[in-house]
Structure formats: structure tokens, C-alpha cells
């Protein structure tokens, strides 16, 4: 079985972004970029399945400008066998990305596609579900455990009320939650090896999909700032303030 | 220009986030229909009919919808969406799982997690863990939206009842099957609906120490939450996680204990009315958003707090 993993290049999760001064976007040009943390977990899960001999090949794909090759190489250093860049300089929406990924799924016919549940820049949480719809495959979103069998995969999902387990027929689409695994670090020899692994480039335009934006960002503003608070000296003072000043407890 | 709201429920009772979603819906149209798909879910339908602002309740009662799997519900939505300009779902794990799948079947780009309806085509939503608020606009013929419940009040109940229409489209699905669930049981209020939330982080050191929080929570009628670090370390289950990738809460009072205040945690609680932080590190970033900060060891502060309440 092949596993396809979709990864996104995003601003590193430690960076606190700010809106640009013209209020039209966010100031990220010089910010550190990384693999989206949920996608890193997706890569790790695929590599573990390969190590457990449940998969023969792990392919990573990213849709974006040439800069995404950096993250594709990182994913190969973590154990992916080869990479595909779907090349475009445009910022695509999840629907268009899902269409591009569906075209790659059509070509590669993977038994599992693993995505992150959410990209930490757009916070959309959409692409995996849309890819599942477009390929008419079952979806196991927000996965915290996977058990792969011959014809199906059991997915434990982190849902609001607790955990839910589904059985999905293969091929299937999975999106990862943080507890699925803890990604490894790439070793130096593996980073060197990754430089020689194959990285194919497919032009988005060759896939014949409609990538026109359907939703436009017209303004970006900073969230309401909280007023600076005070430090209290004791628990007694805290309780007094909550009762008599903030009036939030009786 | 009518709206279809997807009700979230467990076949017995309606989930609260649906009420906030209905409020967002009433800002878009006077015609708000609510879809209840489930099995033996008449009580849910009756509850929905009593919500102010609801025009019609569409009930799809079939074993096919027992677990409300996206593989069955998304095609159902595709079938019935033609009558509606807007389709709304709560931005809960249920809504986030379902809505994008339906949207793709309709060739629509959905908008996640709206916090404000500016007008019929323009919405605000947080991006980058809430470090920025984007205004987005879309001219699509159909708009599919998920609604962040903390940003809209719950719709009140009404004396009269909206008409309940039983429908009979049953879409069976061979792709996915429900196997089981572990539902968290608690007598405390639900995290996203509580007026007071007290959360513990890595500083709690282990799961047993959370009892220090439970005692206080019970005195205050509060829900108990946690940081991701506390969940990852196995102190408490995942459904208690507050943050960018957990639950979003905005209670009147949020008490953060032994939580450093990473941006991903702040994303889930910084719209709380009053924030209290208890942390032994006076430089912890949580103090930058706290109205009242107490620099103290939680193992002495919590028993004292319990005593004084
Ligand atoms: C993609 C992604 C998504 C994430 N999503 C979330 C999310 O949704 N929610 C979330 O919470 N995190 C999330 N995180 C994790 C987040 O980045 C932080 O790692 C996490 O919030 C830290 O939890 P903490 O504050 O409990 O732990 P720490 O940062 O370790 O802080 C522990 C605090 O406890 C204090 N302390 C220790 N002992 C005591 C004591 N005895 N008395 C008083 N204070 C004490 C310390 O001073 C410290 O400030 C996410 C991370 C990533 C990468
Ligand atoms: N440009 C992209 N290239 C490849 N995969 C992507 C891209 N954007 C999103 N994804 C995948 O979709 C997941 C969810 O993203 P989103 O729907 O934007 O929150 C990510 O974690 C990735 O696995």
C-alpha cells in the first residue's frame, strides 16, 4: 500500500504574527517557516506504518511555490520516499488544494491519504474533508489512533464529547490530531540522504482545475487587546477582587 | 434567501452550540430552517421547534443517520441544499467534520469559524490562532459557514412551536461504520457553556492533582479545562483541552492554574470576560492577558482558595 501525505508550509507555530500596517494582510515575509505541525504528525504516522511493514511507500505532496521544496525535503529527511510539488505561485483555497490533491490521488492511487486536521495559518480545517468528498472516500478526521487492517482502517477520533472510533473501508482519508504521535527529529545523515530522493514537479495548470478564489480577504485587523491587569498579593485579595470588584463570583 | 442550520445532537438532546448557530442564522435571514438528521430523534426535533427564530424543522429520521457520519449526511445536504442560500453548522468537531465535505460536493468554498456577520456576503473570522481577524467576502451562490459559538448568544426559546416536517430521504453509506465511543461523563457544566472555567496546565504535575481544581470547580459551579500539555501528559482526557486546536471558551471568569500562556492556549480563552492566572513564574506570558494575576505556588494557593470560597 502507498501512503500519500499532504503537507503545508506555514509560519512557524512559535511566531506571533501581526496584521500589516495597511490592514490588508499579515506580516509574514521574514517569519520563520516550517511544516505545519499537524502535517509533521501525518508524515510521522505514515513513516511508522512503513516501518511496521504496513505500507511500502510514503509520498509527500505540497501545493505551492518553489519554497515548499524545503518542507518536502524535510519530510523526506523524516522518512518519506519521494515528493511531489504541485507548483503554483497563487495562494489557493482549501477547495482548490483538495482538487489538486484529488488529481494526485488519481495518479498515485494511495491506500491512505494522511493530512493535518488544520493548517495553523488559515485555521480552516477543511482540506481533508473536501478531498474525501471529491474522491468519494471515507474520512477519519482528528485522528488520535490508527489501526490499519487489510481492508479497513480503525480510526479513533478526538471529538468534543470524548473519543469516537470508526471503521473506514480502504482507501481512506485521515486527518491528524496532536496526540496521534510525537514526530521524530531528522538526523543529519537522513537530511543528506533526502537531498538525493526524487522530487517531481507538476504544474498546477496541467491538472486542469479551477483554482479561482471564491472567498476574498478584504481586511485584516488585530484582535481586541486586553487591558493590562494587576497582580494581587494573596489568595484573600484575589477572592475579594473577584467578589467585590469584578463581581464574577458570589 | 433562506438559511439551513444543521442541528447537532445525540438523538436525545440538542447540543447547545446549535442555539448560537441559530442566532447567527437569524442575522442572515428571517427564514431559518433547521435540519435534524438522526434516528428516533423526535425529542430533538421538538426542542428545535421551540427555539425562537426557527421557521421549519426538517427531520430525517432513519437508522442511516444514527451516528450522523459525514459520509451519509454530506450527500443528504447536497440533495436538499438547493433550496437554501446559506448552510450553517456549529464550529464544533461535528460541524467541522461535516460541513467541508458537503461543501466540496456542492463545489463551494466554505468559511470556517465565523465570529461576526458583517452583511449577507461578508464575515469576520480569526486566523493565525486568533492573532489576526480577517474580514472575508464571497459572491458564491451558496455560502456554507461554521459558526464559533462564543461569538453569538444562544437563541432563546419561544412559546409557540415551529412546524416539524418529517422527510424520508435515507442515504446509506458503505464507506464508514461506527465502532464505539468513549463519552466523557461529568456532573459539571459543559466546558463551552459554563459561566466559570478553571483550567490546569503542566504545572499540575499529574492527574490526581486535578482534584484540587475539581473541589474549587464544584464550589463555583465551574467547568474544568486543561492546556494541551496537561492533555498530552495524560493528566486529563482530550475533551478538556482549551485552545486553538481544542475548545474555544469565553466564560465570565477563566482561572488558569499552572498554565504558561502559549499563543495556542490563549487562542481558546482570551475572550473570557475576567481572566485570573495563578503561576509561580512572574514572567509567565499568561499574566499579560490576566486581569488578576497571583504569583504563587499552586499547591499552596489552591487549598487556600478552596478554603476561602
Ligand atoms: C499546532 C499546535 C497546536 C496547539 N494547540 C494547543 C491548544 O489548543 N491548547 C493548548 O493549551 N496548547 C496547545 N498547544 C501547545 C502550546 O504550544 C503549549 O505547549 C501548551 O499550551 C503549554 O501548556 P502549559 O502552559 O500547561 O505548559 P508549560 O508551558 O510547561 O507551562 C507550565 C506552567 O506552569 C507553571 N508552574 C509549574 N509548577 C507550578 C506550581 N507549582 N505552581 C504554579 N505554577 C506552576 C510554570 O511556571 C509554567 O508557566 C499547541 C501546540 C501546537 C504546536
Ligand atoms: N498547500 C497545501 N499543500 C498540501 N497540503 C495542504 C496544503 N494546504 C493544506 N494542506 C493539507 O490540508 C490540511 C488542512 O489544512 P486546512 O484545511 O487549510 O486547515 C493541512 O494540514 C495539510 O495536510
Amino acid at each position: 500500500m502507498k501512503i500519500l501525505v499532504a503537507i503545508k508550509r506555514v509560519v512557524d507555530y512559535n511566531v506571533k504574527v501581526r496584521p500589516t500596517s495597511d490592514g490588508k494582510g499579515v506580516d509574514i515575509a521574514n517569519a520563520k517557516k516550517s511544516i505545519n505541525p499537524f502535517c509533521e504528525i501525518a508524515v510521522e504516522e505514515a513513516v511508522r506504518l512503513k516501518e511496521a511493514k504496513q505500507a511500502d511507500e510514503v509520498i509527500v505532496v505540497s501545493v505551492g511555490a518553489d519554497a515548499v521544496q524545503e518542507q518536502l525535503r524535510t519530510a523526506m529527511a523524516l522518512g518519506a520516499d519521494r515528493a511531489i510539488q504541485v507548483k503554483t505561485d497563487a495562494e489557493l483555497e482549501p477547495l482548490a488544494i483538495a482538487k489538486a490533491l484529488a488529481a494526485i490521488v488519481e495518479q498515485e492511487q494511495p491506500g491512505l491519504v494522511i493530512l493535518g486536521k488544520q493548517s495553523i495559518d488559515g485555521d480552516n480545517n477543511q482540506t481533508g474533508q473536501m478531498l474525501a468528498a471529491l474522491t468519494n472516500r471515507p474520512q477519519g478526521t482528528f485522528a488520535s489512533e490508527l489501526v490499519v487492517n487489510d481492508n479497513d482502517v480503525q480510526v479513533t477520533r478526538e471529538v468534543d464529547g470524548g473519543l469516537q472510533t470508526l471503521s473506514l473501508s480502504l482507501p481512506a482519508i485521515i486527518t491528524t490530531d496532536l496526540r496521534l504521535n510525537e514526530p521524530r527529529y531528522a538526523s543529519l545523515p537522513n537530511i543528506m540522504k533526502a537531498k538525493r530522493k526524487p522530487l517531481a514537479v507538476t504544474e498546477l495548470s496541467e491538472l486542469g482545475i479551477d483554482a479561482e478564489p471564491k472567498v476574498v480577504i478584504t481586511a485584516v485587523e488585530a484582535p481586541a487587546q486586553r487591558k493590562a491587569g494587576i497582580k494581587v498579593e494573596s489568595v484573600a485579595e484575589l477572592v475579594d477582587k473577584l467578589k467585590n470588584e469584578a463581581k464574577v463570583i458570589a | 434567501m433562506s438559511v439551513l442550520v444543521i442541528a447537532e445532537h445525540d438523538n436525545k438532546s440538542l447540543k447547545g452550540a446549535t442555539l448560537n448557530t441559530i442566532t447567527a442564522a437569524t442575522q442572515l435571514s428571517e427564514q431559518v430552517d433547521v435540519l435534524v438528521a438522526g434516528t428516533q430523534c423526535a425529542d430533538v426535533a421538538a426542542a428545535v421547534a421551540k427555539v425562537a427564530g426557527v421557521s421549519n424543522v426538517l427531520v430525517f429520521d432513519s437508522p442511516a443517520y444514527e451516528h450522523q457520519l459525514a459520509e451519509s449526511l454530506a450527500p443528504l445536504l447536497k440533495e436538499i441544499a438547493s433550496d437554501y442560500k446559506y448552510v450553517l453548522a456549529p464550529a464544533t468537531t461535528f460541524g467541522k467534520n461535516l460541513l467541508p465535505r458537503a461543501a466540496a460536493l456542492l463545489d463551494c468554498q466554505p468559511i470556517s469559524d465565523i465570529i461576526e456577520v458583517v452583511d449577507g456576503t461578508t464575515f469576520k473570522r480569526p486566523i493565525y490562532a486568533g492573532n489576526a481577524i480577517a474580514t472575508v467576502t464571497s459572491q458564491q451562490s451558496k455560502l456554507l459557514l461554521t459558526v464559533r459559538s462564543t461569538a453569538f448568544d444562544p437563541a432563546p426559546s419561544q412559546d409557540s412551536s415551529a412546524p416539524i416536517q418529517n422527510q424520508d430521504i435515507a442515504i446509506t453509506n458503505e464507506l464508514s461504520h461506527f465502532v464505539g465511543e468513549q463519552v466523557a461523563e461529568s456532573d459539571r457544566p459543559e466546558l463551552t457553556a459554563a459561566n466559570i472555567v478553571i483550567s490546569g496546565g503542566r504545572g499540575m504535575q499529574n492527574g490526581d492533582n486535578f482534584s484540587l481544581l475539581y473541589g474549587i470547580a464544584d464550589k463555583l459551579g465551574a467547568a474544568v479545562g486543561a492546556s494541551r500539555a496537561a492533555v498530552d501528559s495524560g493528566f486529563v482526557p482530550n475533551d478538556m483541552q482549551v485552545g486553538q486546536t481544542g475548545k474555544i471558551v469565553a466564560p465570565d471568569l477563566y482561572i488558569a492554574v499552572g498554565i504558561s500562556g502559549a499563543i495556542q492556549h490563549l487562542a481558546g480563552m482570551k475572550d473570557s470576560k475576567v481572566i485570573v492566572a495563578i503561576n509561580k513564574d512572574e514572567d509567565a506570558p499568561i499574566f499579560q492577558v490576566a486581569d488578576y494575576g497571583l504569583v504563587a505556588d499552586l499547591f499552596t494557593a489552591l487549598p487556600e482558595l478552596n478554603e476561602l470560597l
Side-chain angles (χ1 to χ4, degrees):
Chain A
M1 177 174 81
K2 282 190 205 176
I3 302 181
L4 182 70
V5 179
I7 65 171
K8 186 174 186 189
R9 172 185 168 92
V10 297
V11 173
D12 187 82
Y13 80 99
N14 282 311
V15 177
K16 187 167 184 230
V17 303
R18 289 194 173 73
T20 49
S21 49
D22 66 2
K24 294 255 181 274
V26 278
D27 194 4
I28 54 165
N30 299 315
K32 180 180 175 211
K33 310 290 193 310
S34 305
I35 300 185
N36 183 44
F38 292 101
C39 304
E40 221 175 337
I41 293 168
V43 172
E44 176 67 30
E45 194 66 14
V47 171
R48 287 188 191 184
L49 286 167
K50 187 181 168 194
E51 287 168 349
K53 308 248 184 298
Q54 294 197 288
D56 327 304
E57 191 182 26
V58 175
I59 309 158
V60 281
V61 55
S62 189
V63 182
D66 287 342
V68 306
Q69 292 188 7
E70 185 187 338
Q71 279 64 42
L72 289 170
R73 291 282 172 210
T74 306
M76 290 193 284
L78 293 170
D81 299 297
R82 62 184 167 96
I84 302 169
Q85 176 196 2
V86 177
K87 185 173 167 159
T88 171
D89 289 331
E91 274 296 325
L92 299 196
E93 296 172 342
L95 178 60
I97 289 165
K99 287 178 181 175
L101 295 175
I104 302 299
V105 168
E106 181 63 33
Q107 283 169 20
E108 298 286 347
Q109 296 293 327
L112 275 183
V113 187
I114 313 182
L115 303 90
K117 80 163 175 182
Q118 174 173 344
S119 45
I120 60 163
D121 49 3
D123 282 334
N124 292 308
N125 199 328
Q126 295 172 348
T127 309
Q129 296 87 313
M130 297 181 107
L131 175 63
L134 297 175
T135 55
N136 193 29
R137 292 176 176 205
Q139 65 189 47
T141 52
F142 328 143
S144 65
E145 198 188 336
L146 293 186
V147 179
V148 180
N149 304 312
D150 287 344
N151 301 313
D152 71 338
V153 52
Q154 288 225 357
V155 189
T156 302
R157 307 178 53 229
E158 293 198 13
V159 295
D160 289 336
L163 297 171
Q164 179 192 58
T165 304
L166 300 179
S167 159
L168 311 179
S169 60
L170 291 173
I173 311 289
I174 303 292
T175 76
T176 61
D177 218 316
L178 287 175
R179 269 201 311 177
L180 183 59
N181 60 52
E182 211 168 301
R184 68 194 69 189
Y185 292 97
S187 68
L188 194 58
N190 285 342
I191 294 171
M192 300 311 291
K193 253 197 261 168
K195 292 190 173 149
R196 293 188 304 271
K197 289 185 178 177
L199 191 163
V201 179
T202 302
E203 293 288 337
L204 178 73
S205 53
E206 287 166 19
L207 299 178
I209 60 175
D210 165 21
E212 276 305 300
K214 294 173 188 268
V215 176
V216 184
I217 297 186
T218 54
V220 176
E221 64 198 297
Q225 292 302 316
R226 294 192 72 94
K227 284 201 309 285
I230 59 160
K231 290 252 169 70
V232 292
E233 294 302 324
S234 65
V235 175
E237 187 187 350
L238 175 63
V239 172
D240 175 63
K241 294 278 186 200
L242 293 179
K243 279 188 179 161
N244 301 316
E245 192 175 86
K247 298 189 171 34
V248 283
I249 61 174
Chain B
M1 298 303 254
S2 51
V3 188
L4 181 67
V5 171
I6 304 160
E8 178 171 355
H9 63 89
D10 57 6
N11 293 317
K12 295 185 191 73
S13 56
L14 184 67
K15 300 274 181 209
T18 314
L19 300 176
N20 311 79
T21 308
I22 290 172
T23 297
T26 57
Q27 296 178 9
L28 290 163
S29 169
E30 285 174 4
Q31 175 78 28
V32 176
D33 292 357
V34 179
L35 171 119
V36 178
T39 186
Q40 300 180 339
C41 51
D43 291 351
V44 178
V48 171
K50 287 276 181 199
V51 179
V54 173
S55 314
N56 293 290
V57 187
L58 311 183
V59 183
F60 294 82
D61 194 327
S62 158
Y65 304 129
E66 181 176 3
H67 299 290
Q68 300 166 49
L69 301 179
E71 292 80 0
S72 297
L73 285 191
L76 173 66
L77 282 173
K78 188 188 173 202
E79 292 265 312
I80 61 175
S82 54
D83 296 342
Y84 298 94
K85 161 86 184 174
Y86 303 95
V87 179
L88 272 59
T92 54
T93 51
F94 166 75
K96 288 173 182 170
N97 182 53
L98 170 60
L99 200 89
R101 187 172 180 114
L105 296 178
L106 292 160
D107 199 29
C108 291
Q109 171 57 49
I111 301 174
S112 296
D113 241 332
I114 63 161
I115 56 168
E116 190 180 323
V117 173
V118 178
D119 60 38
T121 52
T122 309
F123 310 91
K124 289 192 181 183
R125 63 177 300 265
I127 53 175
Y128 290 93
N131 284 313
I133 308 294
T135 303
V136 299
T137 180
S138 179
Q139 299 305 323
Q140 295 176 100
S141 58
K142 204 174 287 305
L143 286 169
L144 281 81
L145 314 169
T146 60
V147 176
R148 180 173 287 199
S149 55
T150 52
F152 297 88
D153 289 333
S157 52
Q158 63 183 5
D159 294 334
S160 59
S161 258
I164 296 178
Q165 302 170 7
N166 288 299
Q167 317 265 335
D168 59 4
I169 310 174
I171 298 180
T172 48
N173 137 48
E174 294 302 320
L175 296 171
S176 61
H177 301 278
F178 176 84
V179 176
E181 63 191 347
Q182 266 174 269
V183 183
E185 301 281 354
S186 164
D187 298 336
R188 295 189 191 92
E190 211 231 315
L191 201 48
T192 52
N195 292 326
I196 302 179
V197 173
I198 180 163
S199 292
R202 200 195 309 270
M204 297 302 297
Q205 288 179 5
N206 58 46
D208 290 343
N209 289 335
F210 265 72
S211 59
L212 295 168
L213 301 180
Y214 297 139
I216 293 169
D218 290 341
K219 285 194 172 166
L220 293 173
V224 180
S227 73
R228 184 80 220 181
V231 171
D232 276 346
S233 312
F235 301 172
V236 291
N238 64 284
D239 53 272
M240 288 171 64
Q241 183 193 335
V242 171
Q244 177 190 16
T245 57
K247 288 181 183 163
I248 309 288
V249 302
D252 293 337
L253 173 61
Y254 187 89
I255 307 175
V257 184
I259 292 178
S260 61
I263 43 183
Q264 292 84 10
H265 188 79
L266 302 185
M269 45 64 78
K270 71 181 160 53
D271 293 327
S272 304
K273 217 185 277 152
V274 175
I275 296 176
V276 169
I278 302 176
N279 196 304
K280 68 178 179 189
D281 171 11
E282 63 176 333
D283 295 322
I286 190 77
F287 288 122
Q288 292 163 22
V289 300
D291 300 281
Y292 302 108
L294 177 65
V295 180
D297 190 308
L298 68 92
F299 294 104
T300 51
L302 289 179
E304 230 181 292
L305 180 60
N306 198 357
E307 195 72 6
L308 288 174
L309 290 173

